[in-house]
Amino acid sequence: MRPNKTALLFVIGLAAVLTAASAFAGVRTVTSRGKSYVTLSGMANYYGMSVTQPAKTRIRMQNKYNKIEFETDSRSVWINGTLIALNEPVRKVGWSWAVDTTDFNKTIEPVSRPSEFLKTAGTRTVVLDPGHGGDDKGASSPRNLQEKAVTLDVAKRVKAKLESRGINVELTREADRNLELDARCRKAGALRADLLVSIHANSAGKNRNVRGAETFVLALPGRYSSNSYGGGKLPTATNTGNRYDAANMILSYRIQQNLIKATGQEDRGIKRARFEVLRDAPCPATLVEMAFLSNPKDESIVMDPAGRDRIARGIADGIAAYLSDVSRAKAK
Ligand SMILES: [Zn+2]
C-alpha cells in the first residue's frame, strides 16, 4: 500500500517539531527504578559533542569548548582534566551508560556552561578564611609545621596577588587568634562577601603516602558527602549555602583546576562535604585543602616560601577565573 502523501508529510512535520521542542526543553532524561538519569549519548547530543572510548572503562565526549571524561561504574568525572566526584556512579541503564540527573544539573552543567549559572553572582568583595588559629592549631607536619600558620601565610599571599589585579579582598582573621566556625561565616556576611574561600591543609595522620590537593563543595540535600558514600542515613536538610549550589561548584572547579596547574600536585579532585563554613556561607563558597602536611613531599612544598607562593598563585588564579566567569555571565 502506498502511504498517503499528506499523512506522511504530517508525520515528518510532527517529528521535526518534537525534535526542536526537546532541543529547547533541555537534555532528555530516562527513568529507571524510580530514579532519573541522563544517558551519556543523550548528553553528547545535547552538547553537540563527539564520543570516543579511549579505554575499556573510559568514555570521553568533546566539543570545541569542553572535554568530559567518565569512568564506567565510578563516581569520577574529569572535566577539562580536573577530577570531580559525582554523587552517584555512572551506571548502565538499559543498554546505555548514564549519569544521575542531579549530577548532570548540579555538577556537569554549571562547570560546562558557567556563564548560564552566574548571572546573579557578585564580584565586588572576596573573603578569604585562613583555617584554624590561636588555640586551634589544626593539623601538624612531622617537622611541626602548623596548619594555622600555613593557612594564614597562604591567605595573605593570595590577598596580595588579587589586590595587585585590583580585586577587593578581606580576611576573616589577620593574626594568630581563635575564631569560631560560625563567626567566620558571620564575618563574611558583615563584609558583604561575594565569595568565600576557606583555606586549609590536610593530614592523613600516620599514613605518610596520601598527598595532593583537594577542594570541597557543599554537599546537596539528600545526597552523601563524597567521603562517606553509601554510609548511614542520608542528610536531607537544605543549608543556607545550598542557595549557591551552581556557583559553589564553579568556584571550586576554577580553584582546583588552577591550583593543580600552578603546583603540579596530585589532583585529588573536587569532593562534596558538609563543613560548617560551607553550610552557613552567606555567598558562594569553597574549602581548599592545599596539601597533606603528613606527606614528606607535600610538607616540603609547604615549608618552602616559594612552594607556598605557587599554591597562593593557583588559588588566586582560580578566584580570578571565577570572577571572569561572573563578568561574562553578566555581559551576556
Ligand atoms: Zn583545617
Side-chain angles (χ1 to χ4, degrees), residues 279-317:
R279 285 200 316 258
D280 297 343
C283 58
T286 190
L287 187 147
V288 189
E289 294 278 5
M290 64 175 95
F292 275 81
L293 298 185
S294 46
N295 173 267
K297 195 179 167 200
D298 275 15
E299 184 194 27
S300 48
I301 294 174
V302 174
M303 284 195 96
D304 178 7
R308 293 197 298 277
D309 209 65
R310 282 198 300 278
I311 290 170
R313 179 156 54 81
I315 296 172
D317 286 349

Side-chain angles (χ1 to χ4, degrees), residues 131-132 138-139 147 151 199-202 289:
H132 312 276
E147 183 183 356
T151 59
I199 299 174
H200 288 254
N202 240 325
E289 294 278 5

Side-chain angles (χ1 to χ4, degrees), residues 20-35:
S22 66
F24 287 112
V27 75
R28 266 183 47 208
T29 58
V30 294
T31 304
S32 169
R33 298 177 190 199
K35 291 189 172 153

Side-chain angles (χ1 to χ4, degrees), residues 216-228:
F216 286 90
V217 59
L218 179 61
L220 302 171
R223 300 297 175 133
Y224 290 109
S225 297
S226 302
N227 290 340
S228 59

Side-chain angles (χ1 to χ4, degrees), residues 75-78 81-86 201-204 207-217 226-227 252 255-257 259-261 263-272 288-295 298:
R75 286 184 288 135
S76 296
V77 63
W78 290 262
T82 298
L83 173 61
I84 307 177
L86 296 169
N202 240 325
S203 172
N207 182 340
R208 299 276 181 261
N209 298 320
V210 184
R211 64 186 168 97
E214 55 194 14
T215 298
F216 286 90
V217 59
S226 302
N227 290 340
S252 303
I255 288 180
Q256 180 71 8
Q257 182 183 47
L259 183 54
I260 299 303
K261 199 168 131 194
T263 62
Q265 276 169 293
E266 186 170 312
D267 180 5
R268 293 178 53 84
I270 296 160
K271 298 175 177 177
R272 301 267 185 189
V288 189
E289 294 278 5
M290 64 175 95
F292 275 81
L293 298 185
S294 46
N295 173 267
D298 275 15

Side-chain angles (χ1 to χ4, degrees), residues 9-279:
L9 282 175
F10 175 74
V11 170
I12 291 168
L14 187 65
V17 167
L18 287 175
T19 309
S22 66
F24 287 112
V27 75
R28 266 183 47 208
T29 58
V30 294
T31 304
S32 169
R33 298 177 190 199
K35 291 189 172 153
S36 176
Y37 296 90
V38 175
T39 63
L40 298 195
S41 56
M43 193 188 307
N45 267 336
Y46 175 74
Y47 287 136
M49 286 175 156
S50 59
V51 183
T52 53
Q53 195 161 1
K56 205 176 162 209
T57 58
R58 294 291 183 102
I59 298 168
R60 183 186 293 165
M61 49 183 74
Q62 194 162 4
N63 62 15
K64 65 177 172 177
Y65 307 107
N66 293 300
K67 185 171 87 179
I68 309 177
E69 191 160 323
F70 295 96
E71 189 170 53
T72 53
D73 290 315
S74 153
R75 286 184 288 135
S76 296
V77 63
W78 290 262
I79 304 186
N80 303 317
T82 298
L83 173 61
I84 307 177
L86 296 169
N87 289 289
E88 293 294 330
V90 172
R91 289 197 173 97
K92 220 39 182 300
V93 174
W95 294 100
S96 312
W97 289 103
V99 292
D100 182 289
T101 299
T102 300
D103 277 320
F104 176 74
N105 288 329
K106 298 282 190 169
T107 300
I108 295 164
E109 270 279 80
V111 172
S112 301
R113 306 189 304 144
S115 56
E116 298 301 317
F117 294 87
L118 296 172
K119 291 186 201 305
T120 60
T123 56
R124 259 196 296 271
T125 302
V126 173
V127 174
L128 304 175
D129 173 44
H132 312 276
D135 299 326
D136 172 12
K137 296 183 178 66
S140 310
S141 81
R143 285 183 275 179
N144 204 29
L145 193 62
Q146 290 180 342
E147 183 183 356
K148 66 171 186 176
V150 172
T151 59
L152 184 57
D153 178 272
V154 168
K156 285 179 173 171
R157 289 172 191 269
V158 175
K159 182 177 199 278
K161 288 178 196 306
L162 290 174
E163 281 175 346
S164 76
R165 301 189 203 188
I167 297 165
N168 177 35
V169 184
E170 306 280 353
L171 302 186
T172 55
R173 68 174 176 97
E174 311 243 1
D176 180 16
R177 66 179 185 86
N178 291 351
L179 188 60
E180 295 302 319
L181 292 171
D182 55 349
R184 294 169 194 261
C185 286
R186 277 204 307 278
K187 179 119 194 222
L191 291 166
R192 301 179 144 269
D194 288 303
L195 63 118
L196 173 64
V197 179
S198 192
I199 299 174
H200 288 254
N202 240 325
S203 172
K206 292 209 173 351
N207 182 340
R208 299 276 181 261
N209 298 320
V210 184
R211 64 186 168 97
E214 55 194 14
T215 298
F216 286 90
V217 59
L218 179 61
L220 302 171
R223 300 297 175 133
Y224 290 109
S225 297
S226 302
N227 290 340
S228 59
Y229 180 77
K233 225 181 119 210
L234 274 169
T236 53
T238 301
N239 294 291
T240 306
N242 287 120
R243 285 181 213 162
Y244 313 104
D245 280 338
N248 291 342
M249 180 48 82
I250 297 163
L251 176 61
S252 303
Y253 166 69
R254 287 303 188 200
I255 288 180
Q256 180 71 8
Q257 182 183 47
N258 282 280
L259 183 54
I260 299 303
K261 199 168 131 194
T263 62
Q265 276 169 293
E266 186 170 312
D267 180 5
R268 293 178 53 84
I270 296 160
K271 298 175 177 177
R272 301 267 185 189
R274 287 184 169 80
F275 297 133
E276 186 170 344
V277 75
L278 299 179
R279 285 200 316 258

